[in-house]
């Protein structure tokens, strides 16, 4: 870590302010619509209780056996221990943990400063200028958990024609929806290294989202970045490199938003583990604090968010955790300083679900929308905004211009995506319910108030056009790690590229392991919160309902020619079965053995796995199964093909070098087309071309101190110091010269490629700093900033209230006084605009091409195949006081080459690609002395050609 680095990011005292600002902590239960329109749709929760402090322990075991109840009790005991531990830490540390360990950044920059959004802001300004105070507040506040058909719903502004916005998870499919695609996970998509597939997957996902009636898709995900290989939600993102994440996110966003759906990039920022990510979820009253320096933030964790903003993303979701002891969603430096000023973000910042921790404080710090609208606990009807935001505006705590900016940002994003077009969104409500599969139901099942039922599920089918695309992503996202002559295998039993016949007679193939089969069905556990059957998704809010799941066993059995191949399946991991029936292994020529490792979001637990994995071992005895199959297959003479499905890296050291392990396919999380995608590679219909989006180490400790999950709290506010700075994943392995098992970017093919004739062309001259920040290309809209008549906020006489529903109204305004408000420290200090800013994604000069690298690639092998040239940059060594990684990814492309074909590929490197973040100058700086090195090859450690600039 650079010793001159500054700690960043705070809510600037928002945690302290909560004790001062009782007027910002809301206590209202209401419903906006008139009685005539309030009766609509929605039944019971799809299994499991409503979220709460114990929900992560209760949900997986709803309706389960006595054994599961016992496990629940054990987990509750662990929760009690953690809570007791929190009490001990309270006793040990007499003073409260520090807050606000970075400079404040106020006031919140206004949206509407860029020409590319100017028309949308003009339309939005006209609409917002006609809104009442309750309508403005309504748009910023979620109605509450289970207070609508979607997982998130805002209130409408009926009189001006602005609808309730419907928000839905997630990154790989439409959570809780029927008849929609369960796409390959983000980590599988990242492993394709295919920009076209990034876009097409986003476009398909966006189309289905719109057809289901959802305005805002809560994805893609680039946080967590993947600092810790056992992190529970790493699989939702695209890999452990910021450049890869940024490109994948930007193309996904373009695809989603080309379909008129608002994309949401999440989670901002440093939400790298599930343990202690959220208040009370692990028994502690506060979330973990990710303590991170300025340079590391910019060059790693915030990097892909800049790409996303550059792509025009409509929304950014702030995360649960603290950053430098300030909650991310109350953090003025993060939201005002970095997102809205430095990165030029024109859309709206929403909270993760219950990540908002203060009322006035979060509004001043730059939060624009609170989700799901509840207060500090699920379904409490005590929103921190809603009626209390109305009160805060009326008493002067939240300036009127801050409220106007919140609202105009949301409405401008709605216009920017063309959602005022009734042909795109003919109905206000989704055509499915997140809470029931029944046709009829109520609109707000979280409310105890009686409601009339109506049709909530129309069972609209949207998935069929995307079957082939989902299969292609899954196939290209599968990585061939080892192949010693056994793959591909033809349908009639010929083996290897040479297509040899092993012997006369039928080829005997055995399929082994639970992970090859259907288990109890793909949707057996809510939110996929258990490991059973073949693994095709991780668990949590990033999961989706499977419309179907094609298993590997099903595909292999269907595709092999039964006249030439005898295939048997044994879909069990229990070694006792195989020991009692030795012939099932002894009779095989080739054995396919399947194993997996699962993880997910921390509100669910599967056995002892509380979101984050406990280690990198295969689960359910997978390592033991592989070793046994290898030993006994064909009486020790058969060939074994290992297939792994996993949320991230696994430790392979027990079996990877066994001589009869002839091939290893790493299939990641392939989604609904799992079996057919795998079959394409096994049968040679597609030449394997996936690349590892992370490093697979020889042991968990090889990832270094920064790669280890914090499983036990080290304080009442757990402190997680990112002391490794820039050195995560392959950067760590390179810096400390650690040999990985398989490096980042690695992946084999059935053919071979040669790189030659690398050339560098200078496009622009080197210069230390980018061009001066340009003036705003548009003027933010202006509004009447006078405090409205308090009478506007009173309850309408004809409005029916729903219990626990969040409304913008007040029962009385008699107690409202406009006393001087104690604004946080630094609120009156004028902030100099960042010279790194000036447009979407930052200073426009950062995105200009400064150098182009070209290289020739030739297919020198026996068959056609796709190649993924990767470019890694090494900084000049002329500034020894600055610590640079050995190499960083700065380019990749993917294309097909026929046998013997040669093509030239070009990489355009921008100023940002060539720069580092200078914490003193607070800007991106290019090294102008010495030479940059550009190495090109097929992985981070296979780089045969190098050029200098």
């Amino acid at each position: 870590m650079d010793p001159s680095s500054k700690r960043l990011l705070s809510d600037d005292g928002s945690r302290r302010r909560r004790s001062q600002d009782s007027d910002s902590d809301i206590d209202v239960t209401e419903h906006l619509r008139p009685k005539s329109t309030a009766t609509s749709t929605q039944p019971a929760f799809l299994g499991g209780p409503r979220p709460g402090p114990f929900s992560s322990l209760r949900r997986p075991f709803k309706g389960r056996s006595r054994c599961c109840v016992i496990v629940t009790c054990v987990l509750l005991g662990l929760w009690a221990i953690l809570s007791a531990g929190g009490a001990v830490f309270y006793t040990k540390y007499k003073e409260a943990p520090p807050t606000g360990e970075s400079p404040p950044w106020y006031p919140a920059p206004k949206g509407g400063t860029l020409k590319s959004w100017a028309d949308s802001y003009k339309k939005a300004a006209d609409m917002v200028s006609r809104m009442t105070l309750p309508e403005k507040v309504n748009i910023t506040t979620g109605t509450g958990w289970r207070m609508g058909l979607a997982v998130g719903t805002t209130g409408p502004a009926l009189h001006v024609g602005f609808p309730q916005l419907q928000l839905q998870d997630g990154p790989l499919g439409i959570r809780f929806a029927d008849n929609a695609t369960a796409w390959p996970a983000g980590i599988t998509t990242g492993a394709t290294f295919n920009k076209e597939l990034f876009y097409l997957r986003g476009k398909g996902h966006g189309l289905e989202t719109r057809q289901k009636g959802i305005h805002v898709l809560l994805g893609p995900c680039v946080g967590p970045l993947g600092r810790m290989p056992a992190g529970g939600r790493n699989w939702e993102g695209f890999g452990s490199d910021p450049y890869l994440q940024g490109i994948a996110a930007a193309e996904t966003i373009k695809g989603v938003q080309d379909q008129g759906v608002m994309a949401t990039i999440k989670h901002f920022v440093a939400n790298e583990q599930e343990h202690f990510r959220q208040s009370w979820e692990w028994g502690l009253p506060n979330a973990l604090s990710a303590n991170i320096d300025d340079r590391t933030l910019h060059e790693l964790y915030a990097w892909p968010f800049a790409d996303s903003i550059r792509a025009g993303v409509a929304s950014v979701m702030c995360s649960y955790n603290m950053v430098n002891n300030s909650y991310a969603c109350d953090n003025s430096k993060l939201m005002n300083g970095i997102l809205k000023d430095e990165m030029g973000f024109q859309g709206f910042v929403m909270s993760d679900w219950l990540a908002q921790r203060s009322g006035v404080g979060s509004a001043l710090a730059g939060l624009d929308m609170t989700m799901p609208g509840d207060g500090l606990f699920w379904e409490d009807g005590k929103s921190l905004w809603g009626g209390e935001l109305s009160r805060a505006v009326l008493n002067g705590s939240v300036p009127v211009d801050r409220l106007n900016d919140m609202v105009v940002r949301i409405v401008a994003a709605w216009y920017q995506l063309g959602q005022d077009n009734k042909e795109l969104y003919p109905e206000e409500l989704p055509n499915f319910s997140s809470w029931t599969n029944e046709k009829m139901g109520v609109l707000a099942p979280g409310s105890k108030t009686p409601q009339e039922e109506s049709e909530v599920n129309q069972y609209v089918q949207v998935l069929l056009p995307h079957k082939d695309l989902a299969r292609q992503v899954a196939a290209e996202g599968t990585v061939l790690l080892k192949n010693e002559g056994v793959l591909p295998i033809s349908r009639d039993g010929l083996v290897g590229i040479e297509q040899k016949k092993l012997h006369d007679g039928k080829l005997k193939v055995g399929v082994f392991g639970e992970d090859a089969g259907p288990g109890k069905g793909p949707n057996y556990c809510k939110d996929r919160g258990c490991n059973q059957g073949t693994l095709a998704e991780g668990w949590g809010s990033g999961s989706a309902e499977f419309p179907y799941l094609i298993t590997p066993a099903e595909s292999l059995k269907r595709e092999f020619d039964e006249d030439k191949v005898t295939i048997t399946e044994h879909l069990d991991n229990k070694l006792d079965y195989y020991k009692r029936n030795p012939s099932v292994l002894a009779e095989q020529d080739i054995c396919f053995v399947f194993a997996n490792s699962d993880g997910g979001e921390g509100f669910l637990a599967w056995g002892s796995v509380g979101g984050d994995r406990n280690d990198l071992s295969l689960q359910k005895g997978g390592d033991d199964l592989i070793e046994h199959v290898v030993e006994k297959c064909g009486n020790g003479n058969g060939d074994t093909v290992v297939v792994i499905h996993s949320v991230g890296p696994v430790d392979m050291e027990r079996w990877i070098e066994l001589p009869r392990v002839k091939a290893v396919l790493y299939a990641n999380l392939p989604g609904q087309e799992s079996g057919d995608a795998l079959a394409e590679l096994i049968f040679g219909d597609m030449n394997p071309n996936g690349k590892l989006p992370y490093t697979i180490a020889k042991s968990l400790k090889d990832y270094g101190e920064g790669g280890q999950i914090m499983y036990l709290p080290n304080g009442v506010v757990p402190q997680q110091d990112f002391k490794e700075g820039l050195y995560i994943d392959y950067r760590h392995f390179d810096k400390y010269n650690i040999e990985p098992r398989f490096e980042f970017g690695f992946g084999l093919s059935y053919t071979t490629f040669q790189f030659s004739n690398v050339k560098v062309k200078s496009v622009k001259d080197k210069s230390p700093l980018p061009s001066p920040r340009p003036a705003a290309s548009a003027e933010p809209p202006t509004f009447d900033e006078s405090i409205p008549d308090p009478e506007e906020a009173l309850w309408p006489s004809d409005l029916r209230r729903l219990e626990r529903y969040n409304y913008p109204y007040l029962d009385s305004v008699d107690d409202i006084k406009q006393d001087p408000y104690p604004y946080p420290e630094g609120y009156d200090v004028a902030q100099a605009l960042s010279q790194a800013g000036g447009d979407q994604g930052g200073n426009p000069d950062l995105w200009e091409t400064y150098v182009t690298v070209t290289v020739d690639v030739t297919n020198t092998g026996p068959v056609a195949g796709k190649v993924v040239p990767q470019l890694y940059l090494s900084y000049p060594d002329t500034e020894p006081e600055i610590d640079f990684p050995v190499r960083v990814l700065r380019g990749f492309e993917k294309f097909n080459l026929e046998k013997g074909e040669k093509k030239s590929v070009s990489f355009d490197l921008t100023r940002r690609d060539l720069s580092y973040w200078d914490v003193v100058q607070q800007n991106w700086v290019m090294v102008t002395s010495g030479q940059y090195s550009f190495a090109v090859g097929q992985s981070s450690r296979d780089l045969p050609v190098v050029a200098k600039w």
Side-chain angles (χ1 to χ4, degrees):
M1 188 182 301
D2 189 330
S4 65
S5 297
K6 300 177 182 178
R7 271 200 171 176
L8 275 191
L9 322 178
S10 73
D11 65 344
D12 315 320
S14 63
R15 290 176 56 222
R16 293 190 295 270
R17 288 197 303 274
R18 285 197 40 75
S19 62
Q20 303 169 4
D21 299 344
S22 60
D23 61 344
S24 68
D25 303 333
I26 298 151
D27 186 3
V28 202
T29 50
E30 315 140 329
H31 190 345
L32 178 69
R33 293 184 174 183
K35 187 178 295 184
S36 61
T37 62
T39 55
S40 207
T41 57
Q42 202 142 321
F45 197 34
L46 271 177
R50 72 170 185 259
F54 299 96
S55 64
S56 62
L57 306 179
R58 293 186 310 212
R59 287 183 178 183
F61 306 108
K62 181 71 173 178
R64 299 290 186 261
S65 65
R66 180 179 298 177
C67 177
C68 289
V69 173
I70 292 172
V71 173
T72 303
C73 293
V74 172
L75 290 173
L76 284 171
L78 290 174
W79 178 86
I81 292 170
L82 286 175
S83 297
V88 170
F89 285 117
Y90 263 126
T91 303
K92 181 177 179 181
Y93 300 103
K94 301 296 185 183
E95 298 181 1
T99 61
E101 295 184 338
S102 67
W105 212 108
Y106 296 105
K110 289 182 171 60
T113 58
L114 300 181
K115 186 177 180 180
S116 57
W117 283 70
D119 289 344
S120 296
Y121 266 91
K122 182 178 180 180
K123 295 174 185 177
D126 177 67
M127 178 178 280
V128 173
S129 67
R130 294 181 281 115
M131 290 183 185
T132 63
L133 173 61
E135 286 180 317
K136 292 177 181 178
V137 169
N138 231 18
I139 288 172
T140 67
T141 305
T143 57
W145 183 248
R146 298 198 302 142
M147 296 298 175
L149 296 179
V151 298
T153 304
T154 64
L158 296 175
H159 299 104
V160 296
F162 191 80
Q164 291 184 293
L165 295 182
Q166 310 295 334
L167 299 83
Q168 196 76 7
D169 301 302
L172 67 71
I174 310 168
R175 187 185 184 197
F176 295 143
D178 55 73
N179 296 313
T181 300
W183 296 92
I187 201 68
T188 313
T189 308
T192 70
F193 277 68
N194 189 326
K195 297 176 184 178
E196 181 183 16
L197 287 184
F198 297 161
Y199 173 81
L200 291 175
R201 174 179 174 270
K203 181 179 179 181
H205 192 8
L207 175 60
E208 292 187 8
T209 302
R210 175 166 55 79
Q211 289 173 332
K212 283 291 187 178
I214 296 298
H215 298 91
V216 184
L217 178 66
L218 305 177
C221 176
V222 295
L225 179 66
R227 173 182 186 247
M228 304 164 183
R233 298 186 77 176
N234 292 353
W235 60 271
E236 295 185 37
F238 302 101
S240 298
D241 178 81
Y243 184 89
L244 173 62
Q245 286 260 28
I247 297 296
E251 292 301 316
T252 301
I253 288 162
K254 291 173 186 176
V256 169
Q257 296 196 162
D258 279 354
Q259 294 302 307
V261 174
M262 298 188 219
T264 304
I265 193 68
K266 62 182 188 179
H267 307 87
F268 194 71
V269 64
N271 183 179
E272 293 296 313
Q273 71 167 55
E274 292 303 286
H275 284 72
F276 321 120
R277 64 159 188 166
Q278 187 177 5
S279 303
W280 294 113
E281 194 170 68
W282 292 87
L284 296 177
N286 286 296
L288 171 151
S289 177
N291 302 322
I292 184 171
D293 70 89
D294 191 11
R295 184 180 172 196
T296 298
L297 176 83
H298 280 82
E299 292 188 32
L300 284 186
Y301 300 99
W303 180 287
F305 288 91
D307 289 276
S308 302
I309 293 169
R310 175 76 174 174
V313 71
S315 176
V316 174
M317 182 188 291
C318 52
S319 57
Y320 284 118
N321 55 291
M322 295 187 188
V323 180
N324 292 351
N325 287 294
S326 302
Y327 278 101
C329 291
D330 288 22
N331 193 311
S332 71
K333 180 62 180 181
L334 278 176
M335 293 187 286
N336 291 340
I338 294 180
L339 286 178
K340 292 182 177 179
D341 173 44
E342 184 185 311
M343 294 185 181
F345 178 50
Q346 299 294 294
F348 58 94
V349 181
M350 74 166 76
S351 70
D352 203 341
W353 269 229
L354 237 62
Q356 181 192 30
R357 308 310 294 170
S358 72
V360 171
S362 62
L364 299 179
L367 189 67
D368 302 308
M369 179 187 289
T370 176
M371 277 290 144
D374 300 323
L376 298 178
F377 298 96
W378 296 95
E379 294 185 36
D380 63 1
K382 299 179 180 180
S383 180
L384 297 175
W385 281 0
E388 290 304 310
L389 180 55
S390 297
R391 183 186 303 278
V393 171
L394 292 173
N395 69 23
S397 304
V398 173
V400 173
D401 70 334
R402 174 76 270 261
L403 175 64
N404 287 336
D405 183 61
M406 296 180 198
V407 181
V408 78
R409 282 175 173 273
I410 297 168
V411 177
W414 181 71
Y415 277 116
Q416 186 80 351
L417 273 298
Q419 293 187 354
D420 56 320
N421 183 342
K422 292 299 183 182
E423 292 184 3
L424 291 180
Y425 285 91
E427 303 292 337
E428 181 178 336
L429 298 177
N431 53 43
F432 70 98
S433 169
S434 297
W435 321 116
T436 182
N437 292 325
E438 301 298 323
K439 183 175 183 179
M440 305 298 290
V442 297
L443 177 64
S447 175
K448 297 179 180 179
T449 304
Q451 302 162 62
E452 293 183 13
E453 288 193 347
S454 63
E455 185 179 19
V456 295
N457 279 308
Q458 300 175 32
Y459 310 112
V460 176
Q461 189 280 117
V462 298
L463 78 157
L464 289 182
H466 300 130
K467 174 183 173 68
D468 292 343
L469 176 59
R471 185 180 68 249
Q472 184 181 354
V473 175
E476 290 202 22
T478 297
V479 185
L480 180 63
L481 296 180
K482 183 177 182 179
N483 187 29
E484 296 180 352
V486 67
L487 295 178
I489 303 172
S490 71
R491 288 171 173 81
D492 56 3
L494 303 180
V495 175
I497 292 295
E498 299 83 5
Q499 294 292 275
K500 296 178 180 178
K501 191 171 184 178
L502 291 185
H503 55 69
D504 293 333
K506 286 187 176 183
L507 182 73
K508 294 180 180 179
V509 174
V511 177
F512 301 92
E514 179 185 325
D515 183 65
K520 298 177 181 178
N523 298 322
Y524 178 70
C525 290
K526 177 178 168 55
D527 282 326
R528 316 296 76 77
C530 62
N531 186 352
Q532 59 85 39
T534 192
L535 181 63
E537 294 181 4
W539 73 63
S541 64
S543 66
E545 303 298 307
F546 283 101
Y548 58 82
L549 175 54
I550 301 173
T551 69
E554 173 188 348
S555 295
L556 293 175
K557 191 171 184 178
R558 181 186 66 238
E559 292 296 322
F560 272 120
D561 183 346
E562 61 182 12
D563 293 330
K564 303 290 182 64
V565 178
T566 299
I567 182 168
T568 56
E569 56 186 49
H570 307 276
L571 308 180
D572 200 317
N573 284 20
K574 297 176 182 177
L575 296 188
D576 287 349
Y577 166 80
Y578 298 108
K579 290 176 181 178
R580 292 195 309 269
N581 301 278
S583 62
V584 302
L585 280 162
E587 295 175 353
Q588 308 300 335
D589 297 311
I590 295 176
C591 297
F592 286 89
V593 57
F594 289 75
N596 67 36
S597 185
D598 199 3
E601 191 172 0
F603 75 90
L604 288 172
W606 169 67
S608 64
V609 183
D612 303 310
R613 290 183 289 165
N614 298 330
D615 48 45
L616 300 187
S617 297
L618 291 168
Q619 295 168 355
K620 307 189 81 168
D623 292 299
D624 294 332
L625 176 66
I626 292 171
E627 285 186 317
H628 187 77
V629 170
V630 172
E631 180 184 359
K632 302 299 183 181
C633 182
N635 281 322
N637 296 311
D639 292 336
T640 297
V641 178
V642 178
V643 181
I644 302 297
H645 293 109
S646 180
V647 293
V650 299
D651 186 337
M652 304 178 174
E653 294 309 297
R654 284 177 55 182
W655 47 265
I656 188 64
E657 292 186 345
L658 294 176
R660 303 311 299 182
V661 173
K662 294 297 184 181
V664 178
L665 282 162
Y666 214 82
N668 292 296
L669 299 172
Q672 69 187 36
E673 305 295 325
S674 173
D676 283 357
L678 185 68
E680 283 199 62
L681 304 178
I682 290 172
F683 295 122
D685 302 337
M686 177 186 290
N687 194 335
N689 53 71
K691 301 292 181 179
L692 283 178
Y694 43 69
T695 297
I696 296 179
K698 294 182 178 181
S699 71
L700 178 56
K701 67 178 177 59
D702 284 349
Y703 292 94
E705 182 181 354
Q708 312 305 311
I709 299 290
M710 179 189 291
Y711 294 106
L712 294 175
N714 59 7
V716 67
V717 179
Q719 301 293 303
Q720 190 165 69
D721 298 330
F722 287 39
K723 292 185 292 186
E724 75 285 349
L726 302 174
Y727 296 101
I728 69 169
D729 202 78
Y730 69 89
R731 300 166 183 236
H732 167 81
F733 285 78
D734 291 344
K735 179 179 179 66
Y736 297 104
N737 197 26
I738 300 169
E739 187 69 25
R741 171 53 62 185
F742 296 108
E743 69 270 20
F744 177 90
F746 178 83
L748 298 175
S749 169
Y750 295 152
T751 191
T752 56
F753 302 99
Q754 184 180 72
F755 293 76
S756 62
N757 196 30
V758 61
K759 295 180 180 178
V760 176
K761 178 184 177 183
S762 182
V763 178
K764 288 191 171 185
D765 293 335
K766 298 175 186 175
S767 59
L769 293 171
S771 300
R773 175 176 175 146
S777 56
E779 288 293 324
T782 57
F783 301 93
D784 181 358
E785 295 183 10
S786 58
I787 294 176
D789 185 345
E791 300 291 319
E792 279 190 19
L794 289 174
W795 275 94
S797 59
D798 61 344
L799 195 62
R800 180 193 182 210
R801 305 189 191 191
L802 292 183
E803 186 180 357
R804 295 180 178 171
Y805 196 99
N806 297 315
Y807 297 89
Y809 300 112
L810 299 172
D811 288 309
S812 172
V813 294
D814 294 341
D815 61 340
I816 290 178
K817 298 178 181 179
Q818 295 178 16
D819 294 330
Y821 182 72
Y823 288 109
E825 181 182 351
Y827 190 80
D828 296 327
V829 177
Q831 295 288 340
L833 297 180
S834 171
Q835 286 302 303
D839 203 342
Q840 289 191 124
N843 190 317
D845 193 15
L846 294 173
W847 303 92
E848 292 292 318
T849 296
Y850 272 69
V851 61
T852 297
V853 179
T854 60
V855 65
D856 292 339
V857 187
T858 305
N859 183 343
T860 56
V863 294
K866 289 184 178 179
V867 63
V868 183
Q870 302 164 42
L871 182 147
Y872 292 83
L873 174 154
S874 295
Y875 290 88
D877 59 5
T878 52
E879 307 217 16
E881 71 280 7
I882 302 171
D883 190 12
F884 289 117
V886 174
R887 62 183 64 88
V888 291
L889 180 69
R890 285 296 185 262
F892 62 87
E893 297 293 339
K894 191 173 199 175
F895 50 89
N896 188 70
L897 287 175
E898 296 298 322
K899 178 182 177 181
E901 185 180 8
K902 179 168 70 174
K903 285 184 180 178
S904 179
V905 60
S906 295
F907 303 94
D908 293 331
L909 286 92
T910 67
R911 171 180 277 277
R912 187 180 71 140
D913 293 333
L914 299 160
S915 299
Y916 69 96
W917 180 257
D918 188 295
V919 300
V920 176
Q921 300 189 70
Q922 288 292 291
N923 208 337
W924 293 96
V925 175
M926 185 186 298
V927 181
T928 56
S929 61
Q931 289 185 310
Y932 286 82
S933 292
F934 305 117
V936 184
Q938 296 192 77
S939 76
S940 62
R941 293 204 168 185
D942 176 14
L943 301 165
V945 294
V946 180
K948 302 284 188 178
W949 180 60

